[in-house]
Amino acid sequence: MRRRLVWAGATAGALATIVLTGLIALTSQLTRVSFLPLNLADLLIRVTPGKIATFGIEALGPLAKMMVEAASIVTFILIGTALGVLFAWWAQRGRRRPAIVAGEIFGGLMLLFLLTLQLSNPSAVDLSTVTSAMLVILALGWGAGLGFIYGRLQSREVPATPSEIAADPARRLFLRRSAAAAVTLAIGSAAIAEVLRRAGEAATAEAALPPALLPPTASGTALRGATGDATAFKVPTGVRPYITTADKLYTVASRTRDPVVDPKTYKLTVDGAVRHALSISLADLQARPRIDQTSTLECVSNEVAGDLIGNVNWNGTPLKALLDEAGLEPNVERLVFHAAEGYVDSIPLDAAMLQTTLVVYGIDGQPLPRQHGFPVRIIVPTIYGMKNVKWLQRIEAIKTDFEGYWQERGWSNPAIVKTTSVVDTQGTQKLENGVVPLGGIAFAGDRGISAVEVRIDGGAWHKATLADQRSPAQWRLWRYDWKASPGSHRVTVRAVDGKGEPQTAELAAPHPDGASGYHAVEVSVRG
C-alpha cells in the first residue's frame, strides 16, 4: 500500500509541479511574481557558509552558479512531488472526498510555500494585489492539477501499482499524454517568458536613454607607441581588442537573477553621515557633467590570464561631485553601496574621492545592459570588481569600518588590484621576416604600467614595446618582436607598475585578495 501511495502521489505531484514551474516562469515576466524556483537558489547562496561558497567558486568557477540554479529547480519540483505523496496518503484516508477538492486543500499548502519564496526576494517583498492574486491562482491551479491527475490514475479505492496502470490501456494513455502535456506546457511557457524578457529589457533600455542620444565614445582610435614615439603601435595577431564591448564584458553576481529596475521611477539616494541627503533621478544624473572614461574592470576571482577582465568605455559622473553636494560630515571613513537585489559593499573615502571613481549609467554611449548594472553602477578602477557595485540604489556615508557580502565570506576588504600581465599570443606561430610578434596586456589598477618584460625558455628578460597608455586606469598593450627559432618554446611575461613596483612572481590563488604570479605559455614556431 505504501509503495502504491508513494508512486501515485509522486507522479501526480511531479507532473503538476513541472507545469507550475513553467507557468511561474511566464508569470514572472508579466507580473511582480519572482521566478520562485530560483529564490530557493538565492536562499541557498545566502545561508551557505563562506568557506563552502568560496570552495565552490574556486573549484567550479561559473559552473557553481549554474549548478545551484539547476539544483534549485530540481528541488522545487521535488518539494511538489513530496506534497503529492502526502496528498495521496491524506486523500486515501478520506475516500469520499473528490480528488480535485482535496487537491485544492493542498493547493493552500503550496500557496504558503510560494508566498514564503516570494517574500524571500529582497526586491519583491511587497505583495501587490496582482502579485498576490497570481500566486493564489498558481497555487490553486497546481492543487486542481494534482487532484485531477491523481484521480484519473486511481479509479478504485485501492491505489494502483505502476504495473496495474501499465496494464490498463486507458490509464496508460492518460499517463503518457499527461506527461507530454506537462513537459510541453512547461517548455512553451518558459520559451514565451524568455521572449518577453528580452523584449522587456530592450524597451527598458530605450526608456533609459536621455532626450538626446548619448554620442558614443571613441573605441576605434588607432593605438600609438609609447609617449614620445610617433609611430603607430602594431597589435600582434591574437591579442585581444583594446576596447571591451558590453557584450564581451564578463559578468559575476551574488544572486541567480539580475534585478529589474524601472528607469522612470529610479532614485539614487545619498545619505548617512551627510549634511544634505540627496535623491537623484536617472534623468537628473544624466543631466550632470558627463565623464567618458576608459578604464579596466577585473574580478577578484580572476585567475592569472583569466577572462574576468575588460577595458571598457564608461559614461557617468564623478562620485566626488555627489558627495561634495551632499556635504560629508567629519570623520567619514567609508562609502557603503546598496544594490537593488540586496548586495552591499563599501570603499574607503580616499578611493571614493578620486576623479576616476564614477557613478556610471552607460557604456559606449548606450545605457548599461541589465547584466552590467542597469540603470546605475559604481566604477572604481583601483579596486577589484566585487566593490564596483551594480544596480546601485543607495550610497551611505559611514564613520566606521564595514564588511560587505564577500568580506563576510572571507574575501579581502581592501581588494586593491594586483599587477598582472598576460601573453595573448599562444599556440603555433609562423616566422614573419625572421621574427614572431608576441603580445598581450598588462594592468595594475590606477597605478599604470611602466614596463613589460618577456623571457624565452628561462633565459634573460627582454623589454617589450608598449602602446601609449591614455590613462593609468586602463590596461596597456605590449609587443615583443621575438627572433625565434623553429620548435617549441616557453614564453613568460612580467610587468612593472607606474610606481616602479615589479609584479610578484609568487603564485597565489584568487582567494582571498586576487591571483598573482607570472603568466607563461607554450609557443610552437614554424618557419
Side-chain angles (χ1 to χ4, degrees), residues 287-499:
R288 292 169 178 265
R290 170 182 156 184
I291 299 294
D292 294 334
Q293 171 179 292
T294 302
S295 60
T296 300
L297 182 68
E298 182 179 12
C299 181
V300 70
S301 59
N302 194 32
E303 300 279 356
V304 172
D307 295 327
L308 303 181
I309 187 172
N311 195 46
V312 181
N313 289 323
W314 307 102
N315 316 119
T317 194
L319 173 60
K320 182 180 184 299
L322 301 185
L323 299 178
D324 288 344
E325 183 177 337
L328 295 177
E329 295 178 358
N331 302 319
V332 168
E333 290 189 15
R334 301 185 75 86
L335 280 301
V336 181
F337 304 126
H338 300 263
E341 93 290 23
Y343 181 82
V344 61
D345 212 325
S346 71
I347 62 173
L349 180 60
D350 58 351
M353 300 303 281
L354 295 174
Q355 288 296 327
T356 53
T357 299
L358 302 182
V359 178
V360 165
Y361 47 77
I363 293 178
D364 275 329
Q366 297 298 314
L368 286 170
R370 182 179 169 192
Q371 69 268 28
H372 293 308
F374 178 86
V376 173
R377 70 172 298 166
I378 284 288
I379 287 297
V380 193
T382 61
I383 298 177
Y384 282 118
M386 63 181 172
K387 290 181 173 290
N388 293 238
V389 175
K390 298 182 284 187
W391 311 292
L392 184 65
Q393 285 194 327
R394 181 188 177 203
I395 302 172
E396 178 189 13
I398 63 172
K399 299 181 180 182
T400 61
D401 197 8
F402 181 88
E403 290 193 347
Y405 179 88
W406 288 113
Q407 289 74 55
E408 293 175 348
R409 287 156 175 78
W411 293 80
S412 169
N413 202 19
I416 303 299
V417 170
K418 293 180 178 179
T419 302
T420 188
S421 54
V422 180
V423 184
D424 281 337
T425 311
Q426 303 179 24
T428 301
Q429 302 293 323
K430 185 178 181 180
L431 284 167
E432 299 177 10
N433 299 320
V435 302
V436 171
L438 302 174
I441 62 165
F443 178 56
D446 67 342
R447 301 184 301 279
I449 295 292
S450 62
V452 171
E453 296 178 322
V454 178
R455 181 174 65 188
I456 309 297
D457 295 329
W461 290 99
H462 302 278
K463 282 190 175 295
T465 301
L466 302 179
D468 188 25
Q469 191 165 34
R470 300 164 187 167
S471 163
Q474 304 172 13
W475 65 28
R476 195 165 195 178
L477 269 60
W478 61 267
R479 176 188 177 111
Y480 176 66
D481 290 329
W482 169 32
K483 296 180 181 179
S485 59
S488 180
H489 303 273
R490 187 168 181 81
V491 178
T492 307
V493 65
R494 69 182 183 184
V496 179
D497 73 15
K499 295 183 178 181

Side-chain angles (χ1 to χ4, degrees), residues 82-148:
L83 285 176
V85 173
L86 183 60
F87 164 78
W89 172 82
W90 184 76
Q92 189 62 28
R93 289 173 61 89
R95 298 182 180 89
R96 297 180 180 179
R97 186 181 296 109
I100 293 182
V101 174
E104 295 297 7
I105 296 175
F106 269 70
L109 295 178
M110 176 58 77
L111 177 60
L112 291 176
F113 178 53
L114 299 184
L115 284 170
T116 301
L117 292 180
Q118 176 72 11
L119 292 172
S120 71
N121 184 353
S123 63
V125 293
D126 55 322
L127 287 173
S128 66
T129 302
V130 173
T131 300
S132 301
M134 288 307 304
L135 289 174
V136 171
I137 292 172
L138 288 169
L140 294 182
W142 173 86
L146 173 68
F148 175 72

Side-chain angles (χ1 to χ4, degrees), residues 147-169:
F148 175 72
I149 296 171
Y150 180 82
R152 288 293 301 271
L153 290 177
Q154 304 301 327
S155 59
R156 298 172 297 178
E157 290 188 356
V158 178
T161 64
S163 59
E164 289 171 342
I165 289 179
D168 185 336

